[in-house]
Amino acid sequence: MDYVEPNDARERPGLRLVLTTGVPGPWGESAKAIFQVKKLDYVPVRQTAAETNDDLVAWTGIRNAPQAVYEDEPARTGWEEILALAERLRPEPALVPADEGERALMMGMSHAICSEDGLGWNRRLQLIGPMLSTPDADRNPALAGTRMLGRDYGWSPEATERANRRIVSILDFLAGQLAKQQAAGREYLVGEALSAVDLYWAAFCAMVRPLPHEHCPMPEMMRVAYGTTTPEIDAALDERLLAHRDLVYERHIGLPLDF
Ligand SMILES: N[C@@H](CCC(=O)N[C@@H](CS)C(=O)NCC(=O)O)C(=O)O
């Protein structure tokens, strides 16, 4: 992917998407997948993980990614506002169901995957926890970036402890919903068609079961970290959920990923 620097991107019209370079960040991959399904063109803009990203902050006021910036509107940074922007700019194909009950379920499930205290959030706390629990964690210069992530995303020893329970509970819920849908002869997580939650599941699944290197050429260290799970997470990772991730990539997003 050819990234534009923030100082150049801010001068450009249209839709710009700030992404963490070199890694498949699940929130960023979700935004890319939504834009891809809707065939919305955007200018990819550089953000570097665990750094201060001063030029970006000078432009949008926000340090991390993703950020979707349309014309001179404020940057959209949350998964829900990025989805709302995409639905407004390109209503078809709709990724939010029209039926109110299905919409509420779809948004609730997406919240469980993407929001604070959700699957991705807790998995991140679980991943950085061991590094921030070492005896010299508060002064080791090699951990400056990890400390920044810990501060920005609310790490504490208690947070690591409950993260595993939250992750397993959310995986169980997703597996149960997919089983219900399949029993009713349906292929997707909600309703009859693809919706945003299918894209979120495909992207966030990487944090517990990364795609193979030929489909997702991420740094080896990150693959090992993401792929090292707990016995409870392994047990909760239903084969059908993994097969659903594959279907979504093959049919709607396309592989290999480019980041
Ligand atoms: N603001 C997003 C979450 C964004 C987020 O957690 N981004 C992370 C993962 S992609 C990030 O930018 N990490 C690298 C960093 O903080 O430098 C939301 O609420 O949906």
Side-chain angles (χ1 to χ4, degrees):
M1 176 134 331
D2 290 329
Y3 294 96
V4 169
E5 299 302 325
N7 281 337
D8 296 336
R10 66 188 296 173
E11 307 299 334
R12 303 226 190 163
L15 183 58
R16 286 140 297 164
L17 182 61
V18 177
L19 295 162
T20 306
T21 57
V23 294
W27 287 268
E29 289 302 315
S30 300
K32 283 160 69 182
I34 290 168
F35 291 173
Q36 151 108 12
V37 167
K38 289 181 171 288
K39 300 194 166 53
L40 271 168
D41 288 334
Y42 59 88
V43 174
V45 184
R46 178 184 307 280
Q47 188 263 0
T48 306
E51 290 191 6
T52 53
N53 293 277
D54 298 329
D55 289 350
L56 193 53
V57 175
W59 171 28
T60 66
I62 309 285
R63 185 195 67 77
N64 72 353
Q67 304 182 33
V69 192
Y70 183 64
E71 301 290 2
D72 56 359
E73 296 182 11
R76 264 91 180 163
T77 58
W79 64 270
E80 196 179 343
E81 39 179 26
I82 293 175
L83 175 61
L85 175 67
E87 290 284 299
R88 167 162 71 88
L89 295 180
R90 188 69 51 88
E92 298 295 334
L95 289 174
V96 177
D99 175 88
E100 291 300 340
E102 288 180 359
R103 180 188 177 110
L105 179 59
M106 200 288 289
M107 285 303 207
M109 291 174 72
S110 301
H111 183 272
I113 297 174
C114 311
S115 286
E116 270 191 58
D117 204 27
L119 176 70
W121 201 270
N122 278 290
R123 180 65 178 144
R124 174 166 54 204
L125 295 176
Q126 190 174 50
L127 289 170
I128 62 178
M131 285 181 274
L132 294 176
S133 305
T134 50
D136 65 343
D138 54 346
R139 50 188 187 281
N140 182 346
L143 291 178
T146 313
R147 281 196 294 275
M148 185 190 297
L149 298 182
R151 189 199 61 214
D152 283 5
Y153 303 120
W155 180 80
S156 68
E158 301 74 46
T160 311
E161 242 180 68
R162 68 188 281 286
N164 201 49
R165 285 200 304 279
R166 283 289 297 141
I167 295 166
V168 169
S169 156
I170 293 165
L171 289 174
D172 283 346
F173 173 60
L174 294 174
Q177 172 63 16
L178 186 60
K180 268 193 235 162
Q181 285 284 99
Q182 291 180 346
R186 296 168 159 185
E187 283 190 287
Y188 294 98
L189 279 165
V190 176
E192 301 282 353
L194 178 81
S195 68
V197 70
D198 298 292
L199 302 176
Y200 295 134
W201 164 244
F204 280 74
C205 184
M207 295 180 88
V208 284
R209 274 285 186 286
L211 289 166
H213 182 82
E214 69 268 26
H215 290 153
C216 178
M218 65 209 260
E220 197 48 35
M221 242 176 67
M222 189 178 184
R223 176 185 308 286
V224 171
Y226 274 16
T228 305
T229 45
T230 63
E232 295 80 14
I233 293 177
D234 286 344
L237 264 174
D238 183 288
E239 280 309 315
R240 278 176 295 197
L241 277 178
L242 297 173
H244 187 59
R245 182 259 325 251
D246 294 341
L247 175 147
V248 172
Y249 272 117
E250 278 159 27
R251 205 180 276 176
H252 301 284
I253 304 176
L255 292 167
L257 298 181
D258 176 19
F259 39 80

